[in-house]
Amino acid sequence: MCFPESIEEISAAVGIACRHRVPFVARGSGTGLAGGATPVGDPLVIVTTRMNRILEIDAADRVAWVEPGVCNLDLSRSARHLGLHYAPDPSSQQACSIGGNVGTNAGGPHCLRDGVTSAHVLAVDVVLADGVITRLGGLAPDTPGYDLRGCFVGSEGTMGIAGRIAVRLLPDPPAVRTLLLDFASVAAAAATVSGIIAAGIVPAALEMMDAPITRLVEDFVGAGYPRDAEAVLLVEVSGLPEGVAAEVSGIGQVGRDHGARHVRVAADDAERELLWKGRKSAFGAIARIAPDYYLHDAVVPRTRLVEVLARVREIAAAQDLLVMNVFHAGDGNLHPLLVFDAREPGIWERVHAAGNGIVRACVEAGGVLSGEHGIGLEKRDLMPLVFDPDDLDAQARLRDAFDPSGLANPEKVLPRGSRCGEATRAPEGTWV
Ligand SMILES: Cc1cc2nc3c(=O)[nH]c(=O)nc-3n(C[C@H](O)[C@H](O)[C@H](O)COP(=O)(O)OP(=O)(O)OC[C@H]3O[C@@H](n4cnc5c(N)ncnc54)[C@H](O)[C@@H]3O)c2cc1C
């Protein structure tokens, strides 16, 4: 394991790994949920936590250059005095790094309208698998040639390591309103989600929580969530005051049309922050009832939310597991939480069987394997569910163009055997 303090030190570490044919794994804060930064065998783990400097904030151009280990929330905090912020806000934003966000193409509650990480990364200085430093993308509005920056974002450390990143900063909106709508059924809440988008309103955030997680969060945080609701929606709109007022009223109307029991609009910033604190504490709240949970991440078309959520409950019940749902409903990004105690004999088999069933149900409903956490190790062997051998081969060729040595995070993303000439190029040693 090594802790470089500059892009040149990353390059030196990768160069040594390359000369000795040792695989290497980039690691940011280690909050990833797909095992992307988990070492398999005995690779060199290159940890970026010491590279946590914000190198430059150009307020006029609304661009920040950062090192990869900068904590996501620190960037927005540092730009606040300029009236700017960094839009992608994973729920882990107090801990996760911008480099890790680039690695996973992270999303977050406020990515519905503003887009996920890829939409906010302008340029990346990358250390390639032979130690060479190169720039992908650029600050100009449109860079010529293929969008290699776009290929790199979300590549989970398999195409090199981001050593410096230029990100777009957005101006803080003049007006922000947050609404809490509660419903007597999940179906009514899900219909409201589709209804809001169909009405031409794209909120900044549109999150859903089902009854079990709503009650648990309320016990934990006291955010003012209704304990008797079957589902709640947390909706945020932002922009110019007149537009925001119209959207608040439109969302309230759509909610009531679909049977919302109450539509509450946070009266001030303190109430708004409390509502969000509830949502962002949801995973932590699980600790009140069980020591472990397995969080899944898959996407389904919004119109299939109701049936897929019902299927998720059936699959969990078949394994005698408790499941809770808190997720980015606006983009159909489900996050079923399977709650358990790892000390129970045989529990892992049941948890994995349920997880597998949930992912398959999402794919069968026209969804995809991951909305934001990535493929990593966790879903590597499920890739053939959505890609045929030709698709996998095309991805392997793209990866090989970045990393012909096969040393960059080799065990991740693509199933074993799908990489060109993998058998002949596999490094010697204990890692395979
Ligand atoms: C409570 C909780 C809530 C979460 N909520 C969200 C959410 O709302 N949205 C979301 O998207 N994710 C969420 N996550 C998952 C996780 O926080 C994100 O995937 C995050 O982007 C990972 O950042 P990290 O710094 O921890 O990266 P790591 O876990 O260290 O690494 C993640 C991947 O990125 C690669 N990587 C790391 N650094 C670099 C680099 N410099 N260059 C190239 N590749 C690199 C790694 O090899 C690995 O494949 C959540 C996690 C937790 C624990």
Side-chain angles (χ1 to χ4, degrees):
M1 190 175 285
C2 66
F3 295 83
E5 297 190 1
S6 66
I7 191 169
E8 290 74 20
E9 287 190 8
I10 298 181
S11 163
V14 169
I16 293 168
C18 183
R19 277 196 297 285
H20 294 275
R21 307 236 356 106
V22 171
F24 61 89
V25 176
R27 187 175 176 94
S29 305
T31 66
L33 293 169
T38 304
V40 178
D42 194 16
L44 173 64
V45 180
I46 300 177
V47 187
T48 62
T49 44
R50 289 193 186 158
M51 294 180 64
N52 58 2
R53 283 164 297 205
I54 295 171
L55 302 169
E56 183 190 346
I57 295 183
D58 181 338
D61 269 347
R62 295 180 185 158
V63 171
W65 275 100
V66 301
E67 290 186 326
V70 166
C71 170
N72 175 298
L73 190 57
D74 286 350
L75 178 55
S76 283
R77 282 189 177 136
S78 302
R80 189 174 293 159
H81 69 288
L82 299 166
L84 299 171
H85 68 281
Y86 177 60
D89 62 337
S91 302
S92 53
Q93 69 180 149
Q94 297 193 36
C96 65
S97 71
I98 301 287
N101 294 168
V102 170
T104 57
N105 193 13
H110 287 85
C111 291
L112 176 61
R113 188 191 59 200
D114 293 332
V116 296
T117 299
S118 183
H120 302 272
V121 171
L122 295 166
V124 193
D125 287 346
V126 175
V127 177
L128 296 171
D130 55 2
V132 167
I133 300 173
T134 189
R135 178 163 297 181
L136 305 178
L139 302 188
D142 191 9
T143 46
Y146 296 114
D147 182 13
L148 300 180
R149 174 214 61 90
C151 292
F152 183 84
V153 178
S155 61
E156 302 186 50
T158 64
M159 292 182 174
I161 302 183
R164 267 190 302 254
I165 304 151
V167 296
R168 197 190 303 279
L169 298 175
L170 297 186
D172 294 342
V176 183
R177 301 305 294 273
T178 303
L179 298 88
L180 186 77
L181 294 84
D182 71 78
F183 298 86
S185 74
V186 170
T192 301
V193 171
S194 294
I196 291 171
I197 306 287
I201 302 170
V202 183
L206 178 41
E207 302 282 299
M208 194 195 292
M209 289 186 278
D210 68 7
I213 195 81
T214 303
R215 281 196 281 273
L216 195 63
V217 167
E218 188 52 23
D219 292 344
F220 184 43
V221 174
Y225 295 166
R227 288 172 199 274
D228 58 347
E230 281 305 310
V232 300
L233 293 181
L234 189 61
V235 193
E236 188 155 284
V237 289
S238 60
L240 295 172
E242 298 75 15
V244 165
E247 289 188 344
V248 166
S249 139
I251 290 166
Q253 192 54 53
V254 174
R256 281 185 287 273
D257 289 348
H258 289 90
R261 303 184 317 168
H262 307 99
V263 177
R264 183 173 134 203
V265 184
D268 51 28
D269 280 353
E271 190 178 350
R272 210 169 67 71
E273 275 161 27
L274 191 58
L275 290 177
W276 275 112
K277 187 174 174 196
R279 163 63 184 91
K280 296 212 171 186
S281 308
F283 301 156
I286 304 283
R288 292 177 70 88
I289 54 163
D292 303 288
Y293 66 81
Y294 184 13
L295 171 64
H296 259 284
D297 160 48
V299 183
V300 296
R302 267 191 304 269
T303 48
R304 310 285 298 269
L305 274 177
V306 177
E307 70 181 272
V308 175
L309 284 171
R311 186 82 193 97
V312 165
R313 280 196 297 272
E314 279 169 26
I315 290 167
Q319 297 295 337
D320 197 17
L321 289 169
L322 175 61
V323 67
M324 302 188 170
N325 291 284
V326 44
F327 60 100
H328 311 313
D331 42 22
N333 187 186
L334 292 185
H335 281 342
L337 285 145
L338 297 165
V339 180
F340 62 102
D341 182 342
R343 291 167 297 189
E344 200 183 319
I347 189 76
W348 280 113
E349 287 75 13
R350 282 158 46 207
V351 168
H352 282 301
N356 227 296
I358 288 170
V359 174
R360 284 170 192 274
C362 292
V363 171
E364 279 162 19
V368 293
L369 293 179
S370 165
E372 53 185 19
H373 298 167
I375 301 300
L377 201 52
E378 181 199 24
K379 289 181 177 156
R380 180 191 68 183
D381 297 330
L382 296 175
M383 288 284 270
L385 282 181
V386 285
F387 296 112
D388 67 21
D390 287 343
D391 294 333
L392 289 172
D393 182 56
Q395 292 184 58
R397 286 167 191 274
L398 177 63
R399 177 168 171 172
D400 280 8
F402 278 86
D403 173 24
S405 66
L407 294 173
N409 215 2
E411 291 288 319
K412 312 296 166 56
V413 183
L414 294 179
R416 279 183 171 174
S418 54
R419 301 196 58 191
C420 330
E422 189 166 61
T424 53
R425 255 207 345 272
E428 290 168 15
T430 55
W431 63 278
V432 266

